[in-house]
Amino acid sequence: MKPQYNELSYLVTRQCLQQEEFNQLSQYDRVKGTPLDAIKDAFRGCNPFSSLLGFIPILQWLPKYHCKTDLLGDITAGITVAVMQIPQGMAYGLLAGVPANVGLYMAFFQCLVYAVFGTSRHISMGTFAVVSLMTAKVVTTYAVLPPLGSAKWNETFGVPPVIEPSDDPQYTPIQVATAVAFVCGIYHFLMSALRLGTLSSLLSEPLVSGFTTAAAVHVLISQLKDLLGVSIPRYKGAFKNIFSVRDIVEQVPNSNLTAVYTSAIVILFMIFMNEYLKPRASNWCRFPIPAELLVVVGGTVASYFIGLGPNFNVTLVGTIPVGLPAPEMPPLALLQVVAVDAIAIAIVSYSIVMSMGLIFAQKEGYEVRANQELIAMGATNIVGSFFSCIPTACSLSRSLIQHQAGGKTQITAVVSSLLILVVLLWIGPYFESLPRCVLASIIFVALKGMLWQVQHIKKFQREGSLELLVWLITFLSVVIIDIDIGLLIGVVFSLVALYIKGWKSYYSLLGTVPDTGIYVDLGSHQRAEEVPHIKIFKYSGAVNFASRASFKKALTKEVGVDQRLIRRASQYDAAGEGAGLQIIKTVIIDLSSVPHIDTSACKMFSEVKKDMGTVGVSTLIACPADCVYDTLMHAESIGEGGFHIFPTIHDAVLYAQGSASTV
């Protein structure tokens, strides 16, 4: 039986040590390796075969695949995800400003490529609302579109012909979108080469929540015109949401009532399925009810027989070509044009993939490698760009369903891709009669989870004012200004908030709890007692040229040692009677929570030591981290310092008490 923590005790008897003595005892080595040594070590441990296996993970896990335990779950999950991919792919393809079949191309090509290079076993690659919306912004900026509903609309949204370069080149939506995907893939490879797999950590939780919630508002506004069956101009640049909402409000009296009724029926049906029927059916059916596919099939059949397009002027999906697209390189001249716009898309898509991958990896107990995910996304986007695909990410809803349906490995993506291939080769044209308002309704209902993130305001408010401000500033900037500019503003403010939190220091005086030898904050622990004649000052935060003045001010304030007080205290007896002042003989500076100091901080410590010495108070330093200790030693070697440094506070206290007893 394991003993309880309060039954355990320990007794340590050792000599009081200074830091240098302790370093000799522990054989601390200050010698740091040079960059050349690091390069030699990297090549020394390099194994070409293991490097190949690491670069192509499918070579590692496929030979160990267990058909008996994993195949059934992968097939089940693959079928389920494919059913979801059909309506979502078509809907988010249109959301990106490209043909609906592009979303199906992504569900085939990009899923297969990720299965080869990716390390996450449960995320579902393909279309994602936020990335589609960001791509649509670039498409709207650089592509030349005919008026909606014109005779050339379907021709433009089909597979584009090769456009000869001219003095004023005109690009189709597909060309712009594939160029963005290609550049995103290049960025992902560069990020991997530079080992920037942790770059997504710059996107804090308040930033991501505010951004995705605001992006959902963008998506909602972009779908209102299809829900109402109206046409409005396409705006570019800042404040386009405001202009779009204004035009939609003006066009409400001209709404196509058939489109409005169709949208209302689909939305109510989807809400009923998602909120009532699906939760109940999950108790007795392993397969989730394919509500989106039912809506797509039902909408297509109804539209075909009723003639919603020709008879009621409802906008349809239009031509869906049969087969797979021929490989085509995005226009080289366009790559430079979209290079800046693709930066935000590359970072956001990788952050989404990595965050979802880590969630499932933690649940199932396997590893997702950050830099390998960058390679996987780079390969996925570049290969996809040759086959009319837009930048990829993983879908939150599809990934959750894939995990719940029993998916075990990337074989799920292979099964899903094969079913999508059947749709592309034979079934796709049957969806040409599908009204766009049906797909807009599917997107509208799917936005609930993202819009519901507005409730995170309460959580971030409890966490702190900076977190709340990051959320609000990111959300308002993205909604009011634009999605990429707002994201940049949110990132900048998030980094500023991070700097403020790191720069904001905390300091306190420490005392000891009787009979424990443990030193704690006197202000927080009622039983803690101050050590007689000793002030122990603890500082949390970096001490450098920017914070040294505040450090010195805080030390003087907390310790209360200056020449005026010492002169007053010297008029009374050693116990400090009469004035209530205790004569201070030693100040111990606890650096255990100081991650970094510079030479200007060491100079400030020397000034403090000198000032304290003029009034008969000695200064000791305790608990420095190794890097802080090295800086102190470097300062001593150039004429600053001469500090007494101790590995623990208790060593410093015993030294101070021993020194006082010998006086």
Side-chain angles (χ1 to χ4, degrees):
M1 182 177 176
K2 239 182 176 180
Q4 298 296 323
Y5 73 93
N6 54 3
E7 297 175 356
L8 302 175
S9 63
Y10 71 92
L11 177 64
V12 177
T13 302
R14 62 172 174 81
Q15 189 180 12
C16 177
L17 297 174
Q18 293 200 35
Q19 185 72 44
E20 186 62 32
E21 296 171 328
F22 178 76
N23 286 347
Q24 292 176 3
L25 181 64
S26 66
Q27 297 184 356
Y28 172 57
D29 184 7
R30 257 176 246 151
V31 178
K32 306 295 181 183
T34 64
L36 182 60
D37 293 333
I39 295 174
K40 290 180 179 178
D41 291 339
F43 278 100
R44 191 178 298 117
C46 181
N47 185 321
F49 181 71
S50 61
S51 299
L52 177 63
L53 293 179
F55 182 74
I56 308 177
I58 194 172
L59 298 178
Q60 291 178 313
W61 61 263
L62 189 58
K64 304 175 184 177
Y65 186 77
H66 301 289
C67 293
K68 291 183 179 180
T69 58
D70 297 340
L71 185 59
L72 180 60
D74 285 338
I75 292 176
T76 302
I79 295 173
T80 306
V81 171
V83 168
M84 294 184 66
Q85 284 270 27
I86 297 170
Q88 286 191 2
M90 296 174 68
Y92 292 137
L94 292 176
L95 176 61
V98 294
N101 55 299
V102 168
L104 300 179
Y105 295 156
M106 296 173 67
F108 176 70
F109 292 105
Q110 293 180 331
C111 285
L112 285 179
V113 176
Y114 182 83
V116 174
F117 294 98
T119 58
S120 175
R121 305 172 190 173
H122 294 92
I123 61 175
S124 175
M125 300 298 289
T127 53
F128 181 61
V130 174
V131 175
S132 294
L133 181 67
M134 297 178 74
T135 304
K137 190 260 182 186
V138 187
V139 169
T140 304
T141 303
Y142 300 109
V144 177
L145 298 177
L148 182 63
S150 67
K152 293 185 178 181
W153 176 260
N154 288 336
E155 179 184 347
T156 303
F157 263 19
V159 179
V162 178
I163 298 178
E164 296 296 332
S166 63
D167 294 336
D168 187 20
Q170 295 184 347
Y171 301 107
T172 65
I174 284 290
Q175 290 176 315
V176 175
T178 55
V180 174
F182 187 90
V183 176
C184 283
I186 296 296
Y187 286 151
H188 288 142
F189 276 129
L190 290 176
M191 291 165 64
S192 177
L194 297 174
R195 315 301 289 178
L196 296 179
T198 58
L199 187 63
S200 62
S201 60
L202 293 178
L203 303 182
S204 63
E205 185 181 358
L207 172 66
V208 173
S209 175
F211 172 72
T212 53
T213 307
V217 175
H218 269 268
V219 175
L220 177 62
I221 293 174
S222 70
Q223 298 304 300
L224 287 177
K225 64 182 187 301
D226 287 328
L227 292 173
L228 299 175
V230 298
S231 297
I232 61 171
R234 297 177 183 83
Y235 292 102
K236 304 177 182 179
F239 310 108
K240 64 181 182 182
N241 272 349
I242 297 176
F243 300 137
S244 297
V245 171
R246 179 200 62 189
D247 291 348
I248 289 171
V249 171
E250 292 177 353
Q251 289 293 323
V252 167
N254 301 325
S255 299
N256 185 316
L257 294 181
T258 304
V260 172
Y261 296 149
T262 303
S263 301
I265 292 172
V266 172
I267 291 173
L268 292 175
F269 176 79
M270 289 294 300
I271 292 175
F272 171 77
M273 296 293 288
N274 292 339
E275 301 297 327
Y276 298 99
L277 193 56
K278 279 187 178 182
R280 289 167 174 76
S282 62
N283 296 326
W284 51 267
C285 181
R286 184 175 180 180
F287 293 90
I289 298 177
E292 294 88 351
L293 186 62
L294 292 176
V295 165
V296 167
V297 173
T300 303
V301 172
S303 174
Y304 178 80
F305 286 104
I306 299 175
L308 294 181
N311 298 333
F312 298 93
N313 202 29
V314 174
T315 306
L316 306 179
V317 168
T319 303
I320 298 179
V322 178
L324 300 177
E328 181 180 352
M329 173 76 182
L332 294 177
L334 193 53
L335 302 182
Q336 184 177 358
V337 175
V338 302
V340 175
D341 299 89
I343 295 175
I345 299 177
I347 295 175
V348 169
S349 60
Y350 169 67
S351 300
I352 293 167
V353 168
M354 195 62 201
S355 59
M356 287 298 294
L358 288 174
I359 290 173
F360 292 116
Q362 186 176 9
K363 286 183 179 180
E364 298 296 330
Y366 62 90
E367 180 187 8
V368 171
R369 291 183 281 130
N371 283 290
Q372 181 59 34
E373 287 300 292
L374 285 169
I375 293 175
M377 293 196 66
T380 300
N381 278 318
I382 289 179
V383 173
S385 69
F386 291 105
F387 296 97
S388 302
C389 295
I390 68 173
T392 188
C394 68
S395 166
L396 309 184
S397 59
R398 290 198 310 270
S399 299
L400 289 172
I401 292 297
Q402 178 171 324
H403 181 259
Q404 294 170 3
K408 301 294 184 182
T409 68
Q410 293 90 323
I411 293 295
T412 300
V414 177
V415 174
S416 174
S417 299
L418 294 178
L419 293 178
I420 295 296
L421 179 62
V422 173
V423 175
L424 288 170
L425 294 180
W426 293 289
I427 303 177
Y430 291 103
F431 293 114
E432 292 179 357
S433 300
L434 176 65
R436 287 170 63 100
C437 62
V438 171
L439 295 177
S441 301
I442 293 174
I443 295 175
F444 180 85
V445 176
L447 291 176
K448 176 196 169 185
M450 295 174 65
L451 291 172
W452 214 244
Q453 292 179 137
V454 74
Q455 293 182 322
H456 290 176
I457 290 179
K458 297 179 181 179
K459 181 181 74 170
F460 296 131
Q461 185 179 17
R462 290 192 297 267
E463 290 182 2
S465 56
L466 286 175
E467 284 77 7
L468 178 62
L469 278 175
V470 169
W471 195 98
L472 290 174
I473 289 175
T474 305
F475 176 81
L476 294 175
S477 300
V478 172
V479 170
I480 296 175
I481 304 177
D482 204 355
I483 193 164
D484 51 353
I485 298 175
L487 177 61
L488 177 61
I489 293 173
V491 169
V492 170
F493 191 82
S494 180
L495 294 176
V496 171
L498 182 65
Y499 174 77
I500 291 174
K501 287 187 286 187
W503 171 74
K504 188 177 180 181
S505 60
Y506 169 78
Y507 53 86
S508 62
L509 288 180
L510 303 184
T512 182
V513 179
D515 302 322
T516 66
I518 298 174
Y519 295 87
V520 292
D521 186 350
L522 286 168
S524 303
H525 299 264
Q526 301 303 316
R527 287 200 61 208
E529 298 175 357
E530 193 169 357
V531 181
H533 311 300
I534 298 175
K535 293 284 187 179
I536 306 172
F537 177 75
K538 180 173 184 176
Y539 187 88
S540 299
V543 186
N544 49 41
F545 69 94
S547 60
R548 66 177 186 174
S550 61
F551 178 95
K552 192 172 182 179
K553 181 179 179 181
L555 176 64
T556 303
K557 173 187 173 184
E558 290 295 317
V559 174
V561 175
D562 56 35
Q563 297 208 26
R564 180 177 60 84
L565 289 178
I566 291 296
R567 282 197 299 269
R568 288 179 58 194
S570 64
Q571 300 172 8
Y572 304 94
D573 56 22
E577 296 176 356
L581 292 173
Q582 174 182 305
I583 290 185
I584 302 168
K585 297 180 180 179
T586 306
V587 170
I588 299 174
I589 302 175
D590 175 15
L591 298 182
S592 59
S593 298
V594 175
H596 173 265
I597 64 172
D598 59 7
T599 53
S600 63
C602 296
K603 185 176 182 180
M604 181 268 297
F605 289 148
S606 297
E607 295 171 357
V608 168
K609 179 185 175 185
K610 182 179 178 182
D611 293 342
M612 295 292 182
T614 59
V615 294
V617 177
S618 61
T619 303
L620 309 179
I621 292 177
C623 307
D626 288 342
C627 59
V628 173
Y629 176 77
D630 290 345
T631 306
L632 290 170
M633 291 297 97
H634 172 70
E636 187 171 337
S637 68
I638 60 176
E640 300 288 349
F643 309 106
H644 290 291
I645 307 172
F646 298 86
T648 70
I649 297 176
H650 200 57
D651 283 284
V653 169
L654 293 177
Y655 178 86
Q657 291 173 335
S659 299
S661 65
T662 59
V663 175

